[in-house]
Each structure stands twice: as structure tokens, then as C-alpha cells.
Amino acid sequence: MSSSMDVDPSSSGSNPLLFLEKQEAAASPQLKPYWTKIRTAYEKKLWHNLTVALIEFVSQPGSGPFQIELFENRFITTIENKINALKLVEIARRVGREYSEPDATLKFLESVHSRLQSPYPVEATAESPAVPAPPRPAPEAYALSLSSIAYAQLLLGDLEGCKKSLTECEKLLSEQDTVEPVVNAGYYGVAGDYHKVKADYGPYYKNALLYLACVDADRELSAEDKRQRAHDLCIAALLGENIYNFGELLQHPILQTLTGTEWAWIKDLIGAFNAGAIGRFDSLANQFASEPILAESMAFLRQKICLMALIEAAFSRPRDGATRLMTFEQIAEATRLPVNEVEHLIMKALSLGLIRGSLDQVASTVDITWIQPRVLEGAQLDTLAEQFGHWTDGVGQTANGVQGLESGAIQNLIQATA
């Protein structure tokens, strides 16, 4: 039996250049130029150029069947220590998608991960001195690899393993001063998918928006993917227990992908919540049958739209000094609730931190002194501009009054000393 050291020198698996030459010779006209770039860079030992050529190759449509061979024929492993670690992980992430089974993907990604440099410092021992944490890009490469492993674990239904990988990744990223967008995107993308599986709407919403902030959606996401993400963000915003600010989502470009689709009404529903428009909510409620999860949450959504109507009514109300004093009857009219349910709604808004103020149960009034900041749009900006105008007029009147008092005081002083 041959030992592991007895390798046929003519084998392409042990001869990187022979492997590249064979791939180049057999390549289709579409892929041949990329194999030529890879071979040329390898022959000249231009490691940066080789890295760029490899990333270009694995990004090409039709390269999928050949990507796994880059690792299985040990070409990549012969140059791993010569190329940027972060770029290596980016290449491995793409190659991992080509395996037909998630368990094969996980095994492959874990194999690559095991060969990465540890990002953690080593404490001194009696036998060896302390070793500091390595510089960039080692921590970023390790974190991106962890997020890739977490995604494979999620596909396999290993939620506990996925959470463990994400936790380590998050901790590692929090310790870095600077992180490449692709690394943050890797973490936020998988974290969002994890919370989506667990139906944790608030955390999903946060991570999904952060993911979109880290990627070029037009270049990296398909039209269908963008529509699906827009849909999921809307559902999460509606069902998230602590999400009461819809302006940011309404202004996000991805939401425009729902226009003209079967989900266009969900975009309109987000607009209704942002404006606290109960009438529009009621008119769109008949669409809930196509989204059973919304139909099952009607009671929660009804309370949420009433809270948004309360916020909008308080925001739009003319200011009286520094307060927005409102009666229960006025709130009942704005929210279309019976008067005897208004107090509970106000207490809910206070407990959620949506408003601040004082409740007078005897007088059936609420004195609102603060409203949770939010992104405004359209008519809300017009209301704000009008309120600024009133404030400016008030400041002007106060200034004129003070000036008049000063003039009177000076005149009286002159008369007293004359």
C-alpha cells in the first residue's frame, strides 16, 4: 500500500500548474479567459492578481461546476497562505453554494475555517510568551467564515449551532475598530434569516435593514429577492411588538419593488400605519385573507393602528405652550374607540414610551409633553413646518415684548434721574 507521501508527480491534484492548464484547455469560450488569467497570475506569482482573478471566476455564471474542483484538487490549499484571508473566505462562501446538500456545504466551510488564523490573543504560559491578536484582515475573515457556517447550520435546522456561531461572530465584530461592509453584511444577513425562522419580528426587522445598508442591493440581489425582502420587512414592521416608526421603511428604495405587484397593498398598509389612518387600515383589512399571519393578528394590529392614530393626533394638535392637552373624547374620535377604552390606550402608549405626559382620570384628559421621534413624510412634514411657523411667531412676539419692556424701563430710568 502506498503511503500518503507517495504522490504521482504528474497528477493534476499535486501539480497546480498542470491542473490550471488542463482546465484552461477544456474550458468553454466564456470561461477560458478567466482560466488564462488565473494561470498567468499563478505562474508569475502575482498573488493579488491571482486573488482578483479567482473572485472574478467564481462570480461568473456557468463557473459553478468547476468551483468545487478548485478546492478538491488542492489548488486553493497550495496558495491559501499567499492570498488575503478575507478574500479567501469570500471565495469559499461562493464555492459552498455549489454543493447540492447543506451538510456537504457545512463540512466544506468548516474545513476552510479550521485552516484560518485564530483572531484571538494567546496568554503567556510558563513555556511560551503571550501572542497578541493578529491584525486585519484575520479577525474579519474569521467572522465572515463564522457567519457562513451559521447559515449552513440554519439550512440544516441546527438553530442552537447557528445561534452559537452568530454569537461568537457578533462578539468578534464588536471588538473591531473597523469592519469591511461584506463582513457586516454576512453577519446581518444570517442573523436576519435566523430571527425570521424563529418569527422574532423585531430582531429580524433590525438585522434585515442593517443588511441592506451594507450591500449594493441593485447589484447583489435579484429583483425577486428584493421583492421578497420588502414583503418580509413590511410583515415584520407590522407584527413587531416594539416597532412604531414606519417612516424609515417607507423611504427605503427596496419598498418600491412592491409597486405594481400582488403585494402593493402591503406597502399601502405601511403608509396607513405611518399616518395613523384608521380609515385606510379598515379599507385594506379585506386583503388580509391573502396573508393569514396578518389575519390571525388582527387584534394586535387594531391596537397598533389606534396607537399610531393617537400619536398622529397628538403630533398634529396645535401646541398650547409646551403641551398637547387632549380630552378622552378627542382621542376617541381620532382613534374610533369607545371613550371607556381610551384610558387603557393612553396607558399602553405611555408604557411603550411612545408618548410622555400626565393622565388626569378625573378630568378625562391627558397632557402630552413628548412624542417618540420618528421619520416624517408628506403631510407630516407640512404639519411640522406649520408648527415651526407658529413657534417662530411666538418667539418673535416674546422678543418684541421683551424689547418693549426694556424700552419702558430705560424711559422710566431717564425720567427718574431727570
Side-chain angles (χ1 to χ4, degrees):
M1 180 181 294
S2 299
S3 69
S4 59
M5 297 298 293
D6 297 331
V7 180
D8 179 1
S10 66
S11 167
S12 63
S14 60
N15 189 327
L17 186 56
L18 180 58
F19 166 72
L20 294 178
E21 289 173 345
K22 286 184 175 181
Q23 294 296 326
E24 182 183 8
S28 65
Q30 178 191 1
L31 296 178
K32 194 179 188 67
Y34 297 97
W35 282 114
T36 302
K37 278 187 181 181
I38 294 171
R39 178 187 56 76
T40 302
Y42 178 78
E43 281 185 312
K44 295 181 178 181
K45 295 182 171 54
L46 300 175
W47 308 123
H48 173 73
N49 292 19
L50 176 59
T51 303
V52 172
L54 286 169
I55 290 177
E56 287 181 348
F57 174 75
V58 298
S59 302
Q60 291 304 308
S63 68
F66 309 101
Q67 291 181 20
I68 295 175
E69 293 182 54
L70 288 170
F71 282 87
E72 288 190 346
N73 283 278
R74 300 201 297 277
F75 172 69
I76 294 290
T77 57
T78 64
I79 60 169
E80 281 181 353
N81 63 340
K82 294 180 175 65
I83 64 177
N84 181 289
L86 180 56
K87 299 301 181 183
L88 169 66
V89 174
E90 289 185 48
I91 294 169
R93 292 176 74 210
R94 291 185 177 274
V95 174
R97 300 171 190 169
E98 299 303 321
Y99 287 91
S100 58
E101 298 297 331
D103 56 346
T105 298
L106 178 59
K107 184 178 179 180
F108 165 72
L109 293 173
E110 288 178 334
S111 173
V112 175
H113 186 75
S114 68
R115 300 193 297 274
L116 295 175
Q117 183 180 11
S118 171
Y120 304 112
V122 178
E123 295 182 359
T125 65
E127 293 79 20
S128 59
V131 179
R136 297 179 66 195
E140 293 167 286
Y142 201 87
L144 184 60
S145 181
L146 279 171
S147 66
S148 301
I149 289 172
Y151 185 67
Q153 291 168 324
L154 184 64
L155 291 179
L156 287 167
D158 181 9
L159 296 183
E160 184 177 347
C162 177
K163 177 62 176 175
K164 183 178 178 181
S165 298
L166 285 174
T167 299
E168 183 181 359
C169 181
E170 181 182 27
K171 183 177 184 300
L172 185 57
L173 292 178
S174 69
E175 296 169 352
Q176 309 308 310
D177 295 329
T178 306
V179 177
E180 289 289 331
V182 67
V183 182
N184 277 327
Y187 169 75
Y188 292 130
V190 182
D193 290 337
Y194 169 80
H195 290 295
K196 179 180 176 180
V197 169
K198 292 181 67 67
D200 294 334
Y201 301 111
Y204 166 77
Y205 183 77
K206 173 186 174 182
N207 283 284
L209 283 179
L210 287 170
Y211 168 77
L212 290 173
C214 297
V215 300
D216 183 344
D218 290 333
R219 197 176 77 179
E220 298 186 34
L221 302 178
S222 67
E224 179 56 35
D225 192 12
K226 286 190 285 187
R227 282 193 294 271
Q228 186 63 55
R229 287 179 181 276
H231 167 271
D232 293 346
L233 276 167
C234 289
I235 296 298
L238 292 168
L239 298 181
E241 293 186 1
N242 295 306
I243 300 174
Y244 289 88
N245 190 337
F246 301 91
E248 181 182 5
L249 178 57
L250 279 172
Q251 293 181 2
H252 200 291
I254 201 169
L255 210 64
Q256 303 311 313
T257 62
L258 297 181
T259 302
T261 71
E262 72 274 18
W263 292 329
W265 67 272
I266 298 180
K267 176 176 174 287
D268 296 337
L269 186 61
I270 293 292
F273 271 84
N274 186 61
I278 294 181
R280 284 166 60 192
F281 169 82
D282 288 336
S283 66
L284 291 168
N286 59 2
Q287 302 274 5
F288 286 11
S290 62
E291 290 285 345
I293 195 169
L294 294 182
E296 295 167 5
S297 306
M298 178 59 83
F300 171 76
L301 292 172
R302 172 67 65 179
Q303 182 186 67
K304 194 167 192 175
I305 191 67
C306 287
L307 286 166
M308 295 305 300
L310 168 61
I311 293 171
E312 186 64 25
F315 172 75
S316 304
R317 190 167 179 76
R319 299 291 296 272
D320 178 14
T323 68
R324 294 181 174 92
L325 187 69
M326 299 183 70
T327 66
F328 284 12
E329 287 79 8
Q330 290 169 332
I331 295 173
E333 182 180 356
T335 60
R336 301 188 183 182
L337 284 175
V339 175
N340 62 356
E341 295 182 17
V342 168
E343 183 179 345
H344 175 75
L345 183 72
I346 296 170
M347 293 177 68
K348 182 70 175 179
L350 289 167
S351 68
L352 288 170
L354 302 178
I355 61 173
R356 294 176 191 162
S358 56
L359 186 64
D360 188 334
Q361 295 172 310
V362 176
S364 295
T365 61
V366 59
D367 192 1
I368 300 175
T369 58
W370 178 88
I371 299 173
Q372 184 186 64
R374 55 191 176 132
V375 178
L376 305 178
E377 65 163 13
Q380 294 169 328
L381 291 172
D382 294 336
T383 299
L384 185 62
E386 183 180 349
Q387 291 181 353
F388 269 126
H390 293 322
W391 177 80
T392 302
D393 293 341
V395 170
Q397 293 172 4
T398 301
N400 292 336
V402 170
Q403 186 177 11
L405 290 173
E406 288 178 345
S407 299
I410 292 172
Q411 188 65 35
N412 290 337
L413 181 62
I414 293 172
Q415 293 176 352
T417 57

